Amino acid sequence: MRIGLDIGGTKIRGVVLDDDGSVRASVRHATGFGASAVIDTAFTVVQQLSERVGLDCSQFSSIGVGIPGTVDIHTGRVTHAVNLGIVDIELGEALSVRTGAPVRVENDVNAAAMGAYHLVGGSAESMVYLNLGTGLAAGIVLGGELWRGTRGAAGEIGHIPIDPRGVVCACGQRGCLETVASGSAVARLWPEGREPSIRALFDAADHGEPPALKARRVLVENVASALRIIVLTLDVELIVIGGGMSSLGEELLAAVCGVLKRWELESPFLAALDIPGRIRFASAGSDMAAVGAALVGRGGHTLPETLEAAR
Amino acid sequence: MRIGLDIGGTKIRGVVLDDDGSVRASVRHATGFGASAVIDTAFTVVQQLSERVGLDCSQFSSIGVGIPGTVDIHTGRVTHAVNLGIVDIELGEALSVRTGAPVRVENDVNAAAMGAYHLVGGSAESMVYLNLGTGLAAGIVLGGELWRGTRGAAGEIGHIPIDPRGVVCACGQRGCLETVASGSAVARLWPEGREPSIRALFDAADHGEPPALKARRVLVENVASALRIIVLTLDVELIVIGGGMSSLGEELLAAVCGVLKRWELESPFLAALDIPGRIRFASAGSDMAAVGAALVGRGGHTLPETLEAAR
């Protein structure tokens, strides 16, 4: 049995995954702020999962962790996880020493992509998980395996500039896709909103408020752009949309497909690619990312040396 | 031994590739216009290659063909190869019947990508071949194998719109990358030019002619955009630039890297990706695409049934 941890800005979700791929236990806890609080909470989640299935922490085949920030998958080091108050921690080492189990740490979007592939991807030869959260990023699964790229930057499509006249992005470039197609784009595109959430924006647009209608149009068109970029580069069989914005489900799907269908009228080339037919949604609030983290842990024992040294 | 044919708008290049990957013979012929002329010329090239190495056509392990247009790699059918005057031909079947050898047909950019991987790619885990010819398209090689995507559209980055205010592309969309970063873009960006070639454009810009300077700046910036899109989606180890524009070699490289370095000053994120360090050039006028076609032929006997039926 394997443990998967999905460490997010507000909570840590943990699952125990059986060898047949089914979830045996599931736990969640509010994430603390700062390096030691994150490690403590993660360890607490592992302990509670252990109790649930009647094993000692060290008896799990692996612990896989998905976490935001820059992750060195070889060493388990995590840097720049701003939302978690983490500047630089040896998360893999810390967890493997405390639990006695081999740990593998992965970028949160990649971990969620593995979960999406397991739970939604079916037998697709290729799949992209498009995370529409605060930011916009994709995780790529080819032949059942994560494609991370040579420097872990594969799927960083949120930082492709798509409008030379756009605003400056946090990455320093101008007009990045993320500035117009993500949760963080809502507040900027719709400053009139009382509550700058995607749900509130869609509701206000449904009530016909012009600023909301305009902001929704920009947002939806650029999500469609993201899908088009994915297909025109990777041409994957399936695209699974997840993250905060995906909670809109059918509503978002209908809006995005409306844009794609309009584009298809002008371009038989685009129509032949049938982008709408490739889209699926991850069900919001599921254990998908934690399941994915458990699957990532399967990929090898990142920290056996550390573990041996600590024993 | 295997044969590789690179069928282009002006000539067909053919090579015989030894089992150790070295070129044993090389032939080129002017391509005729229209389906039967293309098949006849291709067959003539195969015959001449056979004579050179003292084998009968049917004794080759395979004949691989790279050709522009829409290619069904499973049947060897080619459609919409406009420059060759081809609407719809069963190229694989025609060639396998006439030569008695198994034939595999592949898109020209993908075939060139395999050649680039063999001749320039070294031991790279991942490589993109960026073809800057009349159009703009990429061939993707991951783990030594072509990644075609689920509908053969992987690498069609020339049709990613990058400017909502750009011109309408032949594909029906607006502001596609290909409209501002390809050989066909030169005549449009620089209507003042006597000879709308990339060489003439760079020369006029070197002489300080303002319209040429402007056109060159647009072209070079958008080639840099193409490289950035490749890295932010696939994050490949190497990018090999080929096609007509690549004949500019060091001159184009210096100009493109100048743009990338300027962008890097504004974005530490981009700087960390070191795009300039990943760029290589394919030597113009080489047998690279034909060698790639021969390697594609290695990938399986597409048309054994046709061949058996014809014998």
Side-chain angles (χ1 to χ4, degrees):
Chain A
M1 286 193 284
R2 299 174 187 279
I3 282 181
L5 301 180
D6 166 33
I7 303 184
T10 52
K11 49 186 166 294
I12 297 182
R13 291 167 187 267
V15 296
V16 172
L17 204 66
D18 218 335
D19 292 339
D20 69 0
S22 60
V23 174
R24 285 281 301 272
S26 174
V27 157
R28 75 187 61 173
H29 258 278
T31 314
F33 192 78
S36 64
V38 168
I39 293 170
D40 286 347
T41 317
F43 183 55
T44 303
V45 170
V46 171
Q47 280 181 310
Q48 293 187 347
L49 289 169
S50 304
E51 285 162 24
R52 293 277 183 88
V53 296
L55 287 179
D56 186 80
C57 293
S58 64
Q59 290 178 290
F60 290 97
S61 310
S62 65
I63 298 176
V65 182
I67 187 166
T70 304
V71 177
D72 183 329
I73 59 162
H74 303 294
T75 64
R77 182 178 171 189
V78 179
T79 48
H80 310 302
V82 185
N83 291 345
L84 300 169
I86 289 175
V87 178
D88 187 347
I89 54 168
E90 298 287 351
L91 178 63
E93 185 175 319
L95 265 185
S96 69
V97 168
R98 283 182 68 174
T99 59
V103 174
R104 192 175 179 102
V105 187
E106 179 58 84
N107 168 275
D108 60 342
V109 175
N110 281 344
M114 280 307 287
Y117 183 73
H118 185 70
L119 299 172
V120 188
S123 56
E125 190 209 7
S126 55
M127 189 208 83
V128 159
Y129 169 73
L130 177 62
N131 191 67
L132 299 174
T134 311
L136 183 155
I140 303 166
V141 183
L142 303 180
E145 300 291 332
L146 277 176
W147 177 260
R148 296 178 178 87
T150 193
R151 295 183 186 222
E156 283 285 7
I157 63 170
H159 296 293
I160 294 179
I162 49 135
D163 185 353
R165 296 159 195 83
V167 300
V168 173
C169 175
C171 79
Q173 302 185 99
R174 183 177 289 277
C176 287
L177 193 52
E178 184 168 290
T179 64
V180 281
S182 66
S184 63
V186 171
R188 202 181 52 71
L189 292 170
W190 187 48
E192 294 86 353
R194 277 76 55 196
E195 177 204 354
S197 79
I198 179 88
R199 177 72 270 162
L201 171 63
F202 269 62
D203 287 344
D206 283 342
H207 283 98
E209 296 176 25
L213 282 167
K214 187 183 171 195
R216 182 169 69 175
R217 195 181 64 238
V218 171
L219 202 66
V220 166
E221 284 195 353
N222 285 298
V223 170
S225 284
L227 298 170
R228 179 169 55 184
I229 287 172
I230 290 166
V231 170
L232 291 177
T233 49
L234 285 153
D235 189 20
V236 288
E237 202 176 325
L238 281 187
I239 304 173
V240 179
I241 298 180
M245 276 175 71
S246 71
S247 61
L248 290 168
E250 290 300 318
E251 222 174 319
L252 181 62
L253 183 66
V256 168
C257 288
V259 172
L260 290 168
K261 292 286 182 192
R262 181 156 53 76
W263 289 346
E264 288 180 2
L265 292 177
E266 289 164 2
S267 174
F269 165 77
L270 204 67
L273 297 178
D274 185 25
I275 301 176
R278 308 184 191 207
I279 307 171
R280 305 284 182 278
F281 271 78
S283 52
S286 75
D287 286 325
M288 188 182 80
V291 167
L295 293 170
V296 161
R298 220 178 34 178
H301 308 225
T302 311
L303 297 157
E305 303 85 357
T306 311
L307 190 60
E308 290 309 315
R311 261 171 178 165
Chain B
M1 286 192 284
R2 302 175 186 276
I3 282 179
L5 301 180
D6 165 34
I7 303 184
T10 54
K11 49 186 169 293
I12 297 183
R13 291 166 186 268
V15 296
V16 173
L17 204 66
D18 217 335
D19 292 338
D20 67 1
S22 59
V23 175
R24 284 281 300 274
S26 175
V27 158
R28 75 187 62 173
H29 258 278
T31 315
F33 192 78
S36 64
V38 168
I39 293 169
D40 287 347
T41 316
F43 184 54
T44 302
V45 169
V46 171
Q47 280 182 309
Q48 293 188 347
L49 288 169
S50 304
E51 286 162 22
R52 294 277 182 89
V53 297
L55 287 178
D56 186 77
C57 294
S58 64
Q59 290 178 289
F60 290 97
S61 310
S62 65
I63 298 176
V65 183
I67 188 167
T70 305
V71 175
D72 183 330
I73 61 162
H74 302 294
T75 65
R77 183 178 171 190
V78 179
T79 48
H80 311 304
V82 185
N83 291 344
L84 299 169
I86 289 174
V87 177
D88 187 348
I89 54 169
E90 298 287 351
L91 179 64
E93 185 173 319
L95 266 186
S96 69
V97 168
R98 283 181 72 174
T99 59
V103 174
R104 190 173 179 105
V105 187
E106 179 58 83
N107 170 273
D108 59 342
V109 175
N110 280 344
M114 279 307 285
Y117 183 72
H118 186 69
L119 298 173
V120 188
S123 56
E125 192 208 4
S126 56
M127 190 208 81
V128 158
Y129 169 72
L130 176 62
N131 191 67
L132 298 174
T134 310
L136 183 155
I140 303 166
V141 182
L142 304 180
E145 301 289 333
L146 278 175
W147 177 260
R148 296 179 179 86
T150 193
R151 294 181 187 225
E156 284 284 7
I157 62 169
H159 297 292
I160 295 178
I162 50 137
D163 185 355
R165 297 157 194 85
V167 301
V168 173
C169 176
C171 80
Q173 301 185 98
R174 184 176 289 277
C176 288
L177 194 52
E178 184 168 290
T179 65
V180 282
S182 67
S184 63
V186 172
R188 203 181 52 69
L189 292 171
W190 188 47
E192 294 86 352
R194 279 74 57 193
E195 178 205 352
S197 78
I198 177 88
R199 175 72 270 163
L201 171 63
F202 270 62
D203 287 344
D206 283 341
H207 283 97
E209 295 177 26
L213 282 167
K214 187 183 172 195
R216 182 170 68 176
R217 195 181 64 236
V218 172
L219 202 66
V220 166
E221 283 194 353
N222 285 297
V223 170
S225 284
L227 297 171
R228 179 170 54 186
I229 287 172
I230 290 166
V231 170
L232 291 177
T233 49
L234 286 152
D235 190 20
V236 287
E237 201 176 325
L238 281 187
I239 304 174
V240 179
I241 299 181
M245 276 174 72
S246 71
S247 62
L248 290 169
E250 289 301 319
E251 223 174 317
L252 181 61
L253 183 65
V256 169
C257 288
V259 172
L260 291 167
K261 291 287 181 190
R262 182 157 51 79
W263 289 347
E264 288 180 2
L265 291 178
E266 288 163 1
S267 174
F269 166 76
L270 204 66
L273 298 177
D274 185 24
I275 302 176
R278 309 184 191 208
I279 307 172
R280 304 285 182 277
F281 271 79
S283 51
S286 76
D287 286 326
M288 187 182 81
V291 167
L295 294 170
V296 161
R298 220 178 35 177
H301 308 226
T302 312
L303 298 157
E305 304 86 358
T306 311
L307 190 62
E308 289 309 314
R311 263 171 176 164

